[in-house]
Amino acid sequence: MIIIAHILAFALIFIASSFNFMDFSLKASNLQFFVDLPSLLIVLLPTIYYAATVHGWGIYGNSWKALLESVDGIQKNQLEPTRLCLRDLGNLSLIWGILGTFVGSILILQDMDGVVAQWGLYPSIAVSLITLFYGILFCMLCLVSKSRIERRILD
């Protein structure tokens, strides 16, 4: 059931990001502005590395079970470590998103003339902000799964 909720949430985000407010229509070509592989790697790779090394691969795997499946498949004694892993995943993804935005902004400001001449200012700022978007999105997913685990712990 949780995978359906995640799909619906992403569908709403995609609809909102492809909506053209000038003529109130959907413009699918706007979705290309929300896909940037280097920014996604800046957020996810350090976050995953930290969670897997600190919490162990088993607990890290349980966190993905909680994200994509049901928390019922996780043993009772592993719920608290999985909750902590999800907390760290969410917090770190947000932190790396903010750091990616700062690094992108610093690089833009260091070579403002070159950036404006080659790409233009606004697309460069958009790429620097997309890391924050990815961090917030992943943090949201972890927050929802962490809440589900906390409810199961209380039961």
Side-chain angles (χ1 to χ4, degrees):
M1 187 68 181
I2 192 67
I3 193 75
I4 294 171
H6 288 323
I7 290 171
L8 286 175
F10 279 113
L12 286 173
I13 290 169
F14 286 132
I15 288 170
S17 61
S18 65
F19 191 75
N20 186 357
F21 290 97
M22 297 304 283
D23 60 359
F24 295 105
S25 64
L26 291 178
K27 187 176 177 185
S29 63
N30 285 353
L31 292 176
Q32 72 183 351
F33 302 126
F34 290 88
V35 178
D36 187 51
L37 187 60
S39 298
L40 186 64
L41 293 177
I42 286 171
V43 173
L44 288 183
L45 286 182
T47 301
I48 290 170
Y49 174 75
Y50 172 82
T53 55
V54 169
H55 296 285
W57 286 105
I59 299 301
Y60 174 73
N62 284 342
S63 66
W64 279 101
K65 281 183 194 174
L67 279 169
L68 300 175
E69 296 175 10
S70 173
V71 294
D72 297 331
I74 301 172
Q75 295 175 0
K76 193 79 166 169
N77 64 343
Q78 293 183 342
L79 286 175
E80 182 62 23
T82 304
R83 183 190 72 81
L84 294 174
C85 183
L86 282 167
R87 180 201 64 193
D88 290 347
L89 280 170
N91 290 341
L92 282 169
S93 66
L94 190 58
I95 289 168
W96 279 102
I98 292 168
L99 285 174
T101 300
F102 282 145
V103 168
S105 299
I106 289 168
L107 292 174
I108 289 170
L109 294 173
Q110 286 292 327
D111 187 25
M112 185 69 91
D113 293 334
V115 168
V116 171
Q118 187 172 3
W119 296 297
L121 183 61
Y122 299 127
S124 301
I125 292 173
V127 169
S128 78
L129 285 174
I130 199 77
T131 57
L132 184 59
F133 175 74
Y134 290 146
I136 291 171
L137 207 60
F138 195 63
C139 182
M140 177 192 69
L141 291 174
C142 292
L143 180 67
V144 169
S145 297
K146 186 178 76 132
S147 318
R148 291 176 50 233
I149 287 184
E150 288 171 348
R151 278 193 313 250
R152 183 148 182 252
I153 288 173
L154 292 175
D155 289 343

